[in-house]
């Protein structure tokens, strides 16, 4: 039972000291999860500013990091428009997979009429998919996004070394006319904006972002398309599913051929409980197939972990988990959410923590997997190039490898530590000093096992929030 599991977990949490009961009168009430008093401050460790991290919302830190990147050749804004989006769109019509379906229709009794109908349908599908990143629109929306982030969040925290590695990989891929495929975790609609905003602010080449067609709503859909979104159906089922699948595969191959950087969510949908979902391998397979066949030389894959101190959609997720129907995205929904955010208390959502796994070559991963499968003994003739079942194994192996990397680099946030300590408290409440001690103990245990803990803001004092200073404890 839940109570027995909590009781078992409590055995591993330090017990209250006799002197903790009356520390300074501050108590944390566990039953309604309301925290009174600051629990992340000087008591946890000595204050310091850690140069390993950058808060993207801090102008000073951002300017210093940009200067460092430009000094090492990392700025790619001038190369942003090098992707020929019109050519990507036109090439879909001549793709062998699409032509095969159209030519098959020509042999039916309907003949040329069926061919023309399929060609028009395929063209309409491409138009619905198509994206075209506009530097002007991206600049304007990044300014709006910056205002929103600074109002709602205290920081967007990156590891500098990981950000430099991403910059170098983007530069390397651009020189080789190859794509970088970013595969982030998916917790919130804000995920769509975070990386694009950060890449623009840090003069890194932007990404084309796969989004569900439920976000292709009036006005908003057009804006998102200009900022890199390309909209894909939630399901490929239906009478034209085979043609749609061929069109999407051809479009993705065209993006790889022209060196466009791509981002999509391997989970396919937002996680409502914070845990990684089972991966959806369809789109991943479409990107692997041309590399496997040799039509595309290679691409680089970068797993990304995006975590929040507080997810903006928390209340919505709770109602959905309790059985309520998911709200359909619409222009009215967007406007109502925007109005809500305008009156939201400043920085109420804490930090956004972004961490990146090590980028790797898709072709090198494929060759390594083929070698491993053949040596394992169970699949001595493993050949994903010609055997659909083996290709399915390869897709799943890559998908779970990416999720494993996301888990490996993910941060444990201060709110998660506090929540764990409170859930392992069987009494009605816990003293402030005792809660701080429990959180510190949990943090040390996480670090001892090789985990990563996000930084704690220095409290009290909002001046540190405005300056972007934050304290990281490793």
């Amino acid at each position: 039972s839940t109570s027995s599991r909590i009781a078992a977990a409590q055995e591993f949490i330090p017990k209250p000291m006799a002197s903790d009961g009356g520390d300074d009168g501050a108590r944390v009430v566990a039953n309604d999860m309301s925290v009174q008093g600051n629990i992340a401050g000087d008591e946890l460790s000595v204050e310091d500013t850690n140069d390993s991290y950058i808060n993207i919302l801090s102008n000073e830190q951002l300017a210093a990091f940009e200067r460092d990147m430009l000094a090492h050749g990392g700025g790619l804004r001038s190369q942003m428009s090098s992707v020929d989006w019109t050519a990507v769109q036109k090439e879909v019509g001549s793709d062998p997979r699409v032509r095969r379906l159209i030519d098959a229709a020509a042999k039916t009794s309907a003949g040329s009429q069926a061919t023309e109908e399929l060609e028009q349908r395929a063209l309409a599908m491409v138009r619905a998919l198509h994206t075209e990143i506009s530097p002007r629109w991206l600049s304007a929306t990044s300014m709006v996004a910056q205002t929103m982030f600074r109002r709602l969040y205290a920081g967007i925290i990156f590891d500098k070394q990981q950000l430099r590695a991403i910059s170098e990989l983007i530069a390397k891929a651009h020189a080789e006319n190859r794509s970088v495929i970013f595969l982030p975790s998916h917790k919130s609609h804000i995920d769509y904006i975070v990386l694009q905003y950060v890449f623009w602010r840090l003069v890194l080449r932007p990404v084309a972002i796969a989004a569900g067609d439920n976000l292709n709503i009036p006005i908003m859909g057009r804006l998102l398309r200009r900022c890199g979104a390309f909209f894909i159906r939630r399901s490929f089922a239906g009478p034209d599913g085979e043609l749609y699948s061929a069109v999407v595969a051809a479009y993705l191959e065209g993006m790889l051929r022209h060196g466009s950087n791509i981002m999509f969510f391997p989970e396919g949908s937002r996680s409502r409980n914070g845990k990684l979902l089972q991966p959806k391998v369809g789109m991943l397979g479409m990107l692997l197939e041309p590399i496997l066949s040799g039509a595309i030389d290679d691409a680089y894959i970068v797993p990304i972990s995006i975590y929040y101190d507080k997810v903006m959609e928390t209340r919505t997720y709770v109602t959905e988990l309790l059985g309520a129907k998911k709200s359909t995205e619409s222009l009215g929904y967007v406007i109502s959410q925007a109005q809500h955010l305008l009156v939201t208390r400043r920085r109420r959502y804490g930090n956004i923590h972004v961490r990146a796994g090590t980028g790797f070559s898709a072709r090198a991963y494929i060759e390594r997997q083929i070698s491993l499968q053949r040596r394992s003994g169970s699949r001595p003739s493993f050949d994903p190039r010609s055997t659909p079942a083996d290709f399915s194994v390869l897709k799943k192996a890559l998908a779970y490898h990416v999720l494993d990397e996301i888990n490996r680099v993910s941060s444990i946030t201060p709110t998660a530590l506090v929540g764990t300590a409170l859930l392992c408290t069987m009494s009605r409440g816990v003293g402030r000093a005792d809660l701080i001690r429990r959180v510190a103990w949990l943090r040390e245990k996480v670090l001892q096992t090789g985990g990563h803990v996000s930084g704690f803001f220095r409290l009290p004092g909002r001046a540190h929030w405005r300056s972007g200073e934050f304290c990281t404890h490793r």
Side-chain angles (χ1 to χ4, degrees), residues 315-325:
R315 288 190 178 182
T316 303
Y317 289 170
V318 169
T319 59
E320 289 178 13
L321 289 170
L322 291 173
K325 187 178 179 181

Side-chain angles (χ1 to χ4, degrees), residues 263-280:
M263 183 182 95
F264 72 94
F265 302 101
E267 298 165 272
S269 181
R270 290 171 295 161
S271 170
R272 266 60 176 175
N273 59 14
K275 297 179 181 178
L276 290 175
L277 305 177
Q278 293 293 316
K280 304 291 190 298

Side-chain angles (χ1 to χ4, degrees), residues 230 247-257 262 283 286-287:
F230 61 100
V247 166
V248 173
Y251 190 75
L252 291 174
E253 183 176 324
M255 295 173 79
L256 292 176
R257 186 179 302 111
I262 303 169
M283 191 168 172
M286 290 179 179
L287 290 166

Side-chain angles (χ1 to χ4, degrees), residues 180-218:
V180 181
I181 303 169
F182 295 96
L183 303 178
S185 56
H186 198 14
K187 303 290 187 296
S188 167
H189 277 317
I190 298 297
D191 297 336
Y192 291 101
I193 310 171
V194 171
L195 280 184
Q196 194 75 301
Y197 165 73
V198 170
F199 285 3
W200 175 255
R201 289 282 288 156
L202 293 174
V203 273
L204 292 173
R205 200 176 188 189
V207 292
I209 306 169
D213 61 356
N214 58 311
L215 296 178
N216 190 14
I217 55 182

Side-chain angles (χ1 to χ4, degrees), residues 30-104:
N31 57 4
D32 68 356
M33 297 295 286
S34 62
V35 180
Q36 301 180 16
N38 298 321
I39 52 82
D42 293 336
E43 295 93 335
L44 282 177
S45 72
V46 178
E47 289 294 338
D48 68 323
T49 300
N50 194 323
D51 289 335
S52 298
Y53 294 86
I54 175 175
N55 181 356
I56 304 299
L57 299 183
S58 164
N59 285 335
E60 290 182 5
Q61 294 183 34
L62 182 65
F65 190 74
E66 282 184 329
R67 287 194 298 270
D68 181 61
M69 284 176 53
L70 290 170
H72 292 85
L76 291 175
R77 184 179 294 175
S78 61
Q79 301 164 351
M80 183 178 63
S81 60
S82 60
V83 176
D84 189 343
W85 298 106
T86 303
V88 173
Q89 184 178 13
K90 288 181 177 178
E91 288 171 6
V92 173
S94 59
D95 184 85
R97 288 159 291 197
V98 177
R99 292 309 315 173
R100 192 182 305 117
L101 293 172
I102 293 174
D103 293 343

